[in-house]
Coordinates of all heavy atoms in Angstrom, one line a residue:
R13 N 8.8 24.9 -12.0 CA 9.5 23.7 -11.6 C 9.2 23.3 -10.2 O 9.0 22.2 -9.8 CB 11.1 23.9 -11.7 CG 11.9 22.6 -11.5 CD 11.8 21.6 -12.5 NE 12.6 20.5 -12.2 CZ 12.6 19.3 -12.6 NH1 11.4 18.9 -13.3 NH2 13.3 18.3 -12.3
A14 N 9.1 24.2 -9.3 CA 8.8 24.0 -7.8 C 7.3 23.5 -7.8 O 7.0 22.6 -7.0 CB 9.0 25.3 -7.0
V15 N 6.5 24.1 -8.5 CA 5.0 23.7 -8.6 C 5.0 22.2 -9.1 O 4.2 21.4 -8.5 CB 4.1 24.6 -9.3 CG1 2.8 24.0 -9.6 CG2 4.2 25.9 -8.7
Q16 N 5.7 21.9 -10.0 CA 5.7 20.6 -10.6 C 6.2 19.6 -9.7 O 5.6 18.4 -9.4 CB 6.6 20.5 -11.9 CG 6.6 19.2 -12.6 CD 7.5 19.2 -13.8 OE1 8.3 20.1 -14.0 NE2 7.3 18.1 -14.6
I17 N 7.3 19.8 -9.0 CA 7.8 18.9 -8.0 C 6.9 18.7 -6.8 O 6.7 17.6 -6.4 CB 9.2 19.4 -7.5 CG1 10.3 19.2 -8.7 CG2 9.7 18.6 -6.3 CD1 11.5 19.8 -8.4
S18 N 6.3 19.8 -6.3 CA 5.3 19.8 -5.2 C 4.2 18.9 -5.6 O 3.8 18.1 -4.8 CB 5.0 21.2 -4.8 OG 6.0 21.9 -4.3
T19 N 3.7 19.1 -6.7 CA 2.5 18.3 -7.2 C 2.8 16.8 -7.3 O 2.1 16.0 -6.8 CB 2.1 18.8 -8.7 OG1 1.8 20.2 -8.5 CG2 0.8 18.1 -9.1
I20 N 4.0 16.5 -7.8 CA 4.4 15.1 -7.9 C 4.5 14.5 -6.5 O 4.1 13.3 -6.3 CB 5.7 15.0 -8.7 CG1 5.5 15.3 -10.1 CG2 6.3 13.6 -8.5 CD1 6.7 15.4 -11.1
V21 N 5.1 15.2 -5.5 CA 5.2 14.7 -4.2 C 3.9 14.5 -3.6 O 3.7 13.4 -2.9 CB 6.1 15.7 -3.4 CG1 6.1 15.4 -1.9 CG2 7.5 15.7 -3.8
V22 N 3.0 15.5 -3.7 CA 1.7 15.3 -3.0 C 0.9 14.2 -3.6 O 0.3 13.3 -3.0 CB 0.9 16.6 -3.2 CG1 -0.6 16.4 -2.9 CG2 1.5 17.7 -2.4
V23 N 0.9 14.0 -5.0 CA 0.3 12.9 -5.6 C 0.9 11.6 -5.3 O 0.2 10.5 -5.0 CB 0.3 13.0 -7.3 CG1 -0.1 11.8 -7.9 CG2 -0.6 14.2 -7.6
N24 N 2.2 11.5 -5.1 CA 2.8 10.2 -4.6 C 2.4 9.9 -3.2 O 2.1 8.8 -2.9 CB 4.3 10.5 -4.8 CG 4.9 10.0 -6.1 OD1 4.5 8.9 -6.6 ND2 5.9 10.8 -6.6
I25 N 2.4 10.9 -2.3 CA 1.9 10.7 -1.0 C 0.6 10.2 -0.9 O 0.2 9.1 -0.1 CB 2.2 11.9 -0.1 CG1 3.6 12.2 0.1 CG2 1.5 11.6 1.3 CD1 3.9 13.5 0.8
I26 N -0.4 10.7 -1.7 CA -1.7 10.3 -1.8 C -1.9 8.9 -2.3 O -2.5 8.1 -1.8 CB -2.6 11.3 -2.6 CG1 -2.8 12.6 -1.8 CG2 -4.0 10.7 -2.8 CD1 -3.4 13.7 -2.6
W27 N -1.1 8.6 -3.3 CA -1.1 7.3 -3.9 C -0.5 6.1 -3.0 O -1.1 5.2 -2.9 CB -0.2 7.2 -5.1 CG -0.4 5.9 -5.9 CD1 0.4 5.0 -6.1 CD2 -1.6 5.6 -6.6 NE1 -0.1 3.9 -6.9 CE2 -1.3 4.2 -7.2 CE3 -3.0 6.1 -6.8 CZ2 -2.3 3.5 -7.9 CZ3 -3.9 5.4 -7.6 CH2 -3.5 4.1 -8.0
W28 N 0.5 6.5 -2.1 CA 0.9 5.6 -1.2 C -0.1 5.4 -0.1 O -0.3 4.2 0.4 CB 2.2 6.2 -0.4 CG 3.4 5.9 -1.1 CD1 4.1 6.6 -2.2 CD2 4.3 4.8 -0.9 NE1 5.2 6.0 -2.6 CE2 5.4 4.9 -1.8 CE3 4.3 3.7 0.0 CZ2 6.4 3.9 -1.9 CZ3 5.3 2.8 -0.1 CH2 6.4 3.0 -1.0
M29 N -0.8 6.4 0.2 CA -1.9 6.2 1.4 C -3.0 5.4 0.8 O -3.6 4.4 1.6 CB -2.4 7.6 1.8 CG -1.3 8.4 2.6 SD -1.9 9.9 3.3 CE -3.0 10.7 2.2
V30 N -3.5 5.5 -0.5 CA -4.5 4.8 -1.0 C -4.2 3.4 -1.1 O -5.0 2.5 -0.8 CB -4.9 5.3 -2.3 CG1 -5.9 4.4 -3.1 CG2 -5.6 6.7 -2.3
M31 N -2.9 3.1 -1.5 CA -2.5 1.7 -1.7 C -2.2 1.0 -0.4 O -2.6 -0.2 -0.1 CB -1.2 1.6 -2.6 CG -1.5 2.0 -3.9 SD -2.5 0.7 -4.8 CE -3.9 1.9 -5.2
I32 N -1.8 1.7 0.7 CA -1.7 1.1 2.1 C -3.1 0.9 2.4 O -3.3 -0.2 3.2 CB -0.8 2.1 2.9 CG1 0.6 2.0 2.4 CG2 -0.9 1.6 4.4 CD1 1.5 3.0 3.1
A33 N -4.1 1.7 2.3 CA -5.3 1.6 2.8 C -6.1 0.4 2.0 O -6.8 -0.4 2.7 CB -6.2 2.8 2.5
A34 N -5.7 0.1 0.7 CA -6.3 -0.9 -0.1 C -5.7 -2.3 0.6 O -6.5 -3.3 0.8 CB -5.8 -0.9 -1.5
I35 N -4.3 -2.3 1.0 CA -3.9 -3.5 1.6 C -4.5 -3.8 3.0 O -4.8 -4.9 3.2 CB -2.2 -3.4 1.7 CG1 -1.7 -3.4 0.3 CG2 -1.7 -4.5 2.6 CD1 -0.2 -3.2 0.3
G36 N -4.7 -2.6 3.8 CA -5.3 -2.7 5.0 C -6.7 -3.3 5.0 O -7.1 -4.2 5.8
L37 N -7.5 -2.7 4.0 CA -8.8 -3.2 3.9 C -8.9 -4.5 3.5 O -9.7 -5.4 4.0 CB -9.6 -2.3 2.9 CG -10.0 -0.9 3.5 CD1 -10.6 0.0 2.4 CD2 -11.1 -1.2 4.5
G38 N -8.1 -5.0 2.5 CA -8.0 -6.3 2.1 C -7.7 -7.3 3.1 O -8.3 -8.4 3.2
A39 N -6.7 -6.9 4.0 CA -6.3 -7.9 5.0 C -7.3 -7.9 6.1 O -7.5 -8.9 6.8 CB -4.9 -7.3 5.6
T40 N -8.0 -6.8 6.4 CA -9.0 -6.8 7.5 C -10.3 -7.7 7.1 O -10.7 -8.5 8.0 CB -9.6 -5.3 7.6 OG1 -8.5 -4.5 8.0 CG2 -10.7 -5.4 8.8
H41 N -10.6 -7.6 5.8 CA -11.8 -8.4 5.4 C -11.5 -9.6 4.5 O -12.3 -10.1 3.6 CB -12.6 -7.6 4.6 CG -13.2 -6.3 5.3 ND1 -14.0 -6.4 6.3 CD2 -12.8 -5.0 5.2 CE1 -14.2 -5.2 6.8 NE2 -13.6 -4.3 6.2
L42 N -10.3 -10.3 4.8 CA -9.7 -11.3 3.9 C -10.7 -12.5 3.8 O -11.1 -12.9 2.7 CB -8.5 -11.8 4.4 CG -7.7 -12.8 3.5 CD1 -7.5 -12.2 2.1 CD2 -6.4 -13.2 4.1
H43 N -11.3 -13.1 4.7 CA -12.2 -14.1 4.7 C -13.7 -13.8 5.2 O -14.4 -14.7 5.5 CB -11.7 -15.3 5.5 CG -10.3 -15.9 5.0 ND1 -10.2 -16.5 3.8 CD2 -9.1 -15.7 5.6 CE1 -9.0 -16.8 3.6 NE2 -8.2 -16.3 4.6
R44 N -13.9 -12.5 5.2 CA -15.2 -12.1 5.7 C -16.0 -11.3 4.7 O -16.9 -10.5 5.2 CB -15.1 -11.3 7.0 CG -14.5 -12.1 8.1 CD -14.4 -11.4 9.4 NE -13.2 -10.5 9.2 CZ -13.0 -9.3 9.9 NH1 -13.9 -9.0 10.8 NH2 -11.9 -8.5 9.7
C45 N -15.7 -11.2 3.4 CA -16.5 -10.5 2.5 C -17.7 -11.2 2.1 O -17.5 -12.4 1.4 CB -15.6 -10.2 1.3 SG -16.4 -9.1 0.1
P46 N -18.9 -10.8 2.4 CA -20.1 -11.6 2.2 C -20.5 -11.6 0.6 O -21.1 -12.5 0.3 CB -21.2 -11.0 2.9 CG -20.7 -9.5 3.1 CD -19.2 -9.6 3.1
I47 N -20.1 -10.7 -0.2 CA -20.7 -10.5 -1.5 C -19.7 -11.3 -2.5 O -20.1 -12.2 -3.3 CB -20.8 -9.1 -2.0 CG1 -21.8 -8.4 -1.0 CG2 -21.0 -8.9 -3.3 CD1 -21.9 -6.9 -1.3
Q48 N -18.4 -11.0 -2.5 CA -17.3 -11.6 -3.4 C -16.1 -11.9 -2.6 O -15.4 -11.0 -2.2 CB -17.1 -10.7 -4.5 CG -16.1 -11.2 -5.6 CD -16.4 -12.6 -6.1 OE1 -15.8 -13.6 -5.5 NE2 -17.2 -12.6 -7.1
P49 N -15.7 -13.1 -2.3 CA -14.6 -13.5 -1.5 C -13.3 -13.1 -2.0 O -12.2 -13.1 -1.3 CB -14.7 -14.9 -1.1 CG -15.7 -15.5 -2.2 CD -16.5 -14.4 -2.6
Y50 N -13.2 -12.8 -3.3 CA -11.9 -12.5 -4.0 C -11.5 -10.9 -4.0 O -10.6 -10.7 -4.4 CB -11.9 -13.0 -5.5 CG -12.0 -14.5 -5.5 CD1 -13.0 -15.1 -6.1 CD2 -10.9 -15.3 -5.0 CE1 -13.1 -16.5 -6.2 CE2 -11.1 -16.6 -5.0 CZ -12.0 -17.2 -5.8 OH -12.1 -18.7 -5.7
I51 N -12.6 -10.1 -3.6 CA -12.3 -8.8 -3.6 C -11.1 -8.4 -2.5 O -10.3 -7.6 -2.9 CB -13.6 -7.9 -3.2 CG1 -14.4 -8.0 -4.4 CG2 -13.2 -6.4 -3.0 CD1 -15.8 -7.3 -4.2
P52 N -11.1 -8.9 -1.4 CA -9.9 -8.6 -0.5 C -8.6 -9.0 -1.1 O -7.5 -8.3 -1.0 CB -10.3 -9.4 0.8 CG -11.7 -9.5 0.8 CD -12.1 -9.7 -0.7
I53 N -8.5 -10.2 -1.7 CA -7.3 -10.7 -2.4 C -6.9 -9.7 -3.5 O -5.8 -9.4 -3.7 CB -7.6 -12.1 -2.8 CG1 -7.7 -13.0 -1.7 CG2 -6.3 -12.5 -3.7 CD1 -8.2 -14.4 -2.0
Y54 N -7.9 -9.2 -4.2 CA -7.7 -8.4 -5.4 C -7.1 -7.0 -4.7 O -6.0 -6.6 -5.3 CB -9.0 -8.1 -6.0 CG -8.9 -7.1 -7.1 CD1 -8.3 -7.3 -8.3 CD2 -9.3 -5.7 -6.9 CE1 -8.2 -6.3 -9.3 CE2 -9.2 -4.8 -7.7 CZ -8.7 -5.0 -9.0 OH -8.6 -4.0 -9.9
L55 N -7.6 -6.6 -3.7 CA -7.1 -5.3 -3.0 C -5.7 -5.4 -2.5 O -4.7 -4.5 -2.6 CB -7.9 -4.9 -1.9 CG -9.4 -4.3 -2.3 CD1 -10.2 -4.0 -1.0 CD2 -9.1 -3.1 -3.1
I56 N -5.4 -6.6 -1.8 CA -4.1 -6.9 -1.4 C -3.0 -7.0 -2.4 O -1.9 -6.4 -2.5 CB -4.0 -8.2 -0.5 CG1 -4.9 -7.9 0.8 CG2 -2.6 -8.6 -0.1 CD1 -5.1 -9.2 1.6
V57 N -3.4 -7.7 -3.6 CA -2.3 -7.8 -4.6 C -2.2 -6.6 -5.4 O -1.0 -6.2 -5.7 CB -2.9 -8.9 -5.6 CG1 -1.9 -9.1 -6.8 CG2 -2.8 -10.3 -4.9
L58 N -3.3 -5.8 -5.6 CA -3.2 -4.5 -6.2 C -2.4 -3.5 -5.4 O -1.4 -2.8 -6.0 CB -4.6 -3.9 -6.5 CG -4.5 -2.5 -7.2 CD1 -4.2 -2.7 -8.6 CD2 -6.0 -2.0 -7.2
G59 N -2.5 -3.4 -4.2 CA -1.7 -2.6 -3.4 C -0.3 -2.9 -3.3 O 0.5 -2.1 -3.4
A60 N 0.0 -4.2 -3.0 CA 1.4 -4.6 -3.0 C 2.1 -4.4 -4.2 O 3.2 -3.9 -4.2 CB 1.3 -6.1 -2.5
S61 N 1.5 -4.8 -5.4 CA 2.2 -4.6 -6.7 C 2.3 -3.1 -6.9 O 3.4 -2.7 -7.5 CB 1.5 -5.3 -7.7 OG 0.2 -4.7 -8.0
S62 N 1.4 -2.3 -6.6 CA 1.7 -0.8 -6.8 C 2.6 -0.2 -5.9 O 3.5 0.6 -6.4 CB 0.4 0.0 -6.6 OG -0.7 -0.4 -7.4
L63 N 2.7 -0.6 -4.7 CA 3.8 -0.1 -3.8 C 5.2 -0.6 -4.2 O 6.2 0.1 -4.0 CB 3.5 -0.6 -2.4 CG 2.3 0.1 -1.7 CD1 2.1 -0.3 -0.2 CD2 2.4 1.6 -1.7
L64 N 5.2 -1.8 -4.7 CA 6.6 -2.4 -5.1 C 7.0 -1.6 -6.3 O 8.2 -1.3 -6.5 CB 6.5 -3.9 -5.3 CG 7.7 -4.6 -5.8 CD1 8.8 -4.5 -4.7 CD2 7.4 -6.1 -6.1
S65 N 6.0 -1.4 -7.3 CA 6.4 -0.6 -8.5 C 6.9 0.8 -8.2 O 7.8 1.2 -8.8 CB 5.1 -0.5 -9.4 OG 5.5 0.2 -10.4
L66 N 6.2 1.4 -7.1 CA 6.6 2.8 -6.8 C 8.1 2.7 -6.2 O 8.9 3.5 -6.4 CB 5.7 3.4 -5.9 CG 4.5 4.1 -6.4 CD1 3.5 4.5 -5.3 CD2 4.8 5.3 -7.2
S67 N 8.3 1.8 -5.3 CA 9.6 1.7 -4.8 C 10.7 1.4 -5.8 O 11.8 1.9 -5.7 CB 9.6 0.5 -3.6 OG 8.7 0.8 -2.7
L68 N 10.4 0.6 -6.7 CA 11.5 0.3 -7.8 C 11.6 1.5 -8.7 O 12.7 1.7 -9.1 CB 10.8 -0.9 -8.7 CG 11.2 -2.3 -7.9 CD1 10.6 -3.3 -8.8 CD2 12.7 -2.5 -7.6
T69 N 10.5 2.3 -8.8 CA 10.7 3.5 -9.6 C 11.7 4.5 -8.9 O 12.5 5.1 -9.5 CB 9.3 4.2 -9.9 OG1 8.5 3.3 -10.6 CG2 9.5 5.5 -10.7
Y70 N 11.6 4.6 -7.6 CA 12.4 5.5 -6.8 C 13.9 5.0 -6.8 O 14.7 5.7 -7.0 CB 12.0 5.6 -5.3 CG 10.6 6.2 -5.2 CD1 9.8 5.7 -4.2 CD2 10.2 7.1 -6.0 CE1 8.5 6.3 -4.0 CE2 9.0 7.7 -5.9 CZ 8.1 7.3 -4.9 OH 6.9 7.8 -4.7
T71 N 14.0 3.6 -6.9 CA 15.3 3.1 -6.8 C 15.9 3.2 -8.3 O 17.2 3.6 -8.4 CB 15.2 1.5 -6.7 OG1 14.8 1.3 -5.4 CG2 16.6 0.9 -6.8
K72 N 15.1 3.1 -9.3 CA 15.6 3.3 -10.7 C 16.1 4.8 -10.9 O 17.1 5.0 -11.5 CB 14.5 3.0 -11.6 CG 14.9 3.2 -13.1 CD 13.8 2.8 -14.0 CE 12.7 4.0 -13.9 NZ 11.7 3.8 -15.0
S73 N 15.4 5.7 -10.4 CA 15.8 7.0 -10.4 C 17.0 7.5 -9.7 O 17.8 8.4 -10.0 CB 14.5 8.1 -10.3 OG 14.2 8.0 -9.0
A74 N 17.1 6.9 -8.6 CA 18.3 7.2 -7.7 C 19.6 6.6 -8.2 O 20.7 7.2 -8.0 CB 18.0 6.5 -6.3
W75 N 19.6 5.4 -8.9 CA 20.9 4.8 -9.3 C 21.4 5.4 -10.6 O 22.5 5.2 -10.9 CB 20.6 3.3 -9.5 CG 20.7 2.7 -8.0 CD1 19.7 2.4 -7.2 CD2 21.9 2.4 -7.2 NE1 20.1 1.9 -6.1 CE2 21.4 1.9 -6.0 CE3 23.1 2.4 -7.5 CZ2 22.2 1.5 -4.9 CZ3 24.1 2.0 -6.5 CH2 23.5 1.5 -5.2
G76 N 20.5 5.9 -11.5 CA 20.9 6.4 -12.7 C 21.2 5.3 -13.7 O 20.3 4.7 -14.1
D77 N 22.5 5.0 -14.1 CA 22.8 4.1 -15.0 C 23.4 2.9 -14.3 O 23.7 2.9 -13.1 CB 23.8 4.5 -16.1 CG 23.2 5.7 -17.0 OD1 22.0 5.5 -17.1 OD2 23.9 6.5 -17.5
G78 N 23.5 1.7 -15.0 CA 24.2 0.5 -14.5 C 23.1 -0.6 -14.4 O 22.1 -0.6 -15.0
I79 N 23.6 -1.7 -13.9 CA 22.8 -2.9 -13.8 C 21.7 -2.8 -13.0 O 20.6 -3.3 -13.2 CB 23.7 -4.1 -13.3 CG1 23.0 -5.5 -13.5 CG2 24.1 -3.9 -12.0 CD1 22.9 -5.9 -15.0

Side-chain angles (χ1 to χ4, degrees):
R13 182 78 175 150
V15 169
Q16 181 183 14
I17 290 172
S18 300
T19 304
I20 290 171
V21 167
V22 168
V23 168
N24 273 316
I25 289 171
I26 291 171
W27 190 250
W28 274 88
M29 291 185 326
V30 168
M31 290 300 114
I32 290 171
I35 292 171
L37 282 171
T40 302
H41 301 290
L42 188 56
H43 296 290
R44 293 182 287 159
C45 185
I47 297 175
Q48 178 57 265
Y50 293 117
I51 291 175
I53 296 170
Y54 175 79
L55 287 172
I56 292 171
V57 172
L58 180 69
S61 65
S62 293
L63 290 180
L64 185 61
S65 175
L66 277 173
S67 298
L68 284 173
T69 301
Y70 299 146
T71 303
K72 180 178 76 168
S73 63
W75 284 94
D77 292 332
I79 190 73

